[in-house]
Amino acid sequence: MKTDVILKVDNVTKTFGQDLSKTEALRGISFDVLKGEFLGIMGASGSGKTTLLNCIATMTKPSSGKILLGDDDLTLLKGAKLSEYRGSRIGYLFQDFELLDNMTARENIILPLSLHGITEKQAEDRLRELAEHFDITDVLDKFVSQMSGGQKQRTAAARALISEPDILLMDEPTGALDSRNSKIVLDKLRQMNTEKKSSIVMVTHDARAASYCSRVLFIRDGRLFHELRRSLSGESQDDFYEKIITVTAQMAGGNNNVI
């Protein structure tokens, strides 16, 4: 694999059911994710985008094809190697936070580290850095029920990044937030991507969220439909957003002639 490619998805298919109930969720998807890239994946409900993300996260096993992180084929991982991958090599940010209600924000964030033998000092150092970045130092000792939606998602983001994963996977990370808190969360994540060169893959149906990405893949009926790359030198986020809107409109209309 090329040194600048961190993730390679190679001709991945996924079929659910058999015979008359057979559904082809993914039909030969292939693409690379570069180190430090912020990649968006868009598509209508049922297009296969969440199935694809779940395959990368090893929550779902592809029917065929390969998914490589570095030199490791994720479709072949088992036992301790699979646990290591899920626990430390990827971070996962869910739409509905998935925080443990009986723990404080601090305890939720450092929980992944307690499972992997990280020293208390290392955990505290990472916690402090992430809490400051996501502006949640004032809620570290609060329980989930005492936090706002935006604070919950920023806490969940800190938890997903605390193990310093190779790649961060996000499934509709702003789906449960209002526009103000969505912007705060996405601004913070893009800052991590820009300053720390964090590699991020985000599934979203929201064109505004996708405009934060450096590249967007569009999926329709289990296949790649189109790709947009943002010109970081001369293209504003609003200009990129307008391009995304154009492609999503073409997808909805069934037109393959896109920009």
Side-chain angles (χ1 to χ4, degrees):
M1 185 184 295
K2 295 179 182 178
T3 56
D4 58 345
V5 173
I6 190 169
L7 182 75
K8 185 176 185 66
V9 176
D10 183 14
N11 199 29
V12 167
T13 70
K14 179 60 182 178
T15 301
F16 295 99
Q18 295 179 342
D19 300 326
L20 294 178
S21 62
K22 181 179 177 180
T23 300
E24 294 181 276
L26 299 175
R27 306 183 185 193
I29 297 278
S30 297
F31 63 91
D32 294 342
V33 181
L34 304 182
K35 289 182 179 179
E37 185 173 24
F38 192 163
L39 176 70
I41 299 175
M42 296 193 72
S45 177
S47 62
K49 61 185 187 299
T50 297
T51 298
L52 174 60
L53 194 71
N54 287 340
C55 286
I56 297 171
T58 68
M59 296 179 185
T60 299
K61 188 176 179 62
S63 300
S64 65
K66 295 181 179 180
I67 303 175
L68 302 172
L69 184 69
D71 295 324
D72 294 322
D73 186 347
L74 307 184
T75 66
L76 303 178
L77 294 183
K78 296 179 180 178
K81 282 201 167 185
L82 180 58
S83 296
E84 178 196 2
Y85 171 75
R86 290 174 174 171
S88 59
R89 298 193 67 192
I90 62 166
Y92 202 110
L93 186 58
F94 300 87
Q95 176 177 335
D96 52 357
F97 323 128
E98 296 293 337
L99 297 171
L100 298 176
D101 293 335
N102 62 338
M103 290 185 174
T104 63
R106 179 191 306 275
E107 292 167 337
N108 267 286
I109 294 170
I110 65 174
L111 179 62
L113 296 185
S114 66
L115 304 175
H116 295 279
I118 303 298
T119 67
E120 184 175 345
K121 183 181 185 306
Q122 286 176 310
E124 283 299 320
D125 288 345
R126 293 185 192 178
L127 172 66
R128 181 173 60 254
E129 180 181 1
L130 286 167
E132 290 175 355
H133 176 80
F134 285 105
D135 291 333
I136 51 172
T137 54
D138 57 335
V139 301
L140 288 179
D141 295 318
K142 292 184 178 181
F143 289 95
V144 175
S145 62
Q146 298 171 307
M147 294 187 282
S148 68
Q151 290 168 337
K152 291 176 186 177
Q153 193 62 309
R154 281 179 276 146
T155 297
R159 180 190 57 187
L161 291 164
I162 191 75
S163 62
E164 299 180 339
D166 294 338
I167 193 165
L168 174 64
L169 307 178
M170 306 196 298
D171 187 8
E172 303 283 6
T174 60
L177 304 178
D178 59 28
S179 58
R180 175 181 173 275
N181 279 300
S182 294
K183 183 178 186 307
I184 292 172
V185 168
L186 290 167
D187 281 342
K188 294 295 184 183
L189 288 166
R190 183 165 61 183
Q191 188 178 351
M192 287 292 293
N193 167 251
T194 302
E195 296 178 0
K196 302 291 186 180
K197 304 304 178 185
S198 301
S199 304
I200 302 175
V201 175
M202 175 177 66
V203 159
T204 183
H205 70 278
D206 182 357
R208 181 57 67 184
S211 70
Y212 281 78
C213 300
S214 53
R215 180 165 62 111
V216 180
L217 302 178
F218 299 84
I219 295 179
R220 188 173 72 180
D221 299 330
R223 293 187 175 94
L224 286 182
F225 173 81
H226 194 65
E227 173 184 321
L228 283 179
R229 293 177 183 269
R230 181 179 174 189
S231 173
L232 299 180
S233 60
E235 186 172 23
S236 71
Q237 184 175 341
D238 285 341
D239 289 340
F240 194 47
Y241 168 76
E242 292 299 329
K243 285 186 177 180
I244 294 169
I245 289 293
T246 298
V247 176
T248 54
Q250 296 280 9
M251 289 176 68
N255 193 334
N256 287 318
N257 298 316
V258 294
I259 57 176

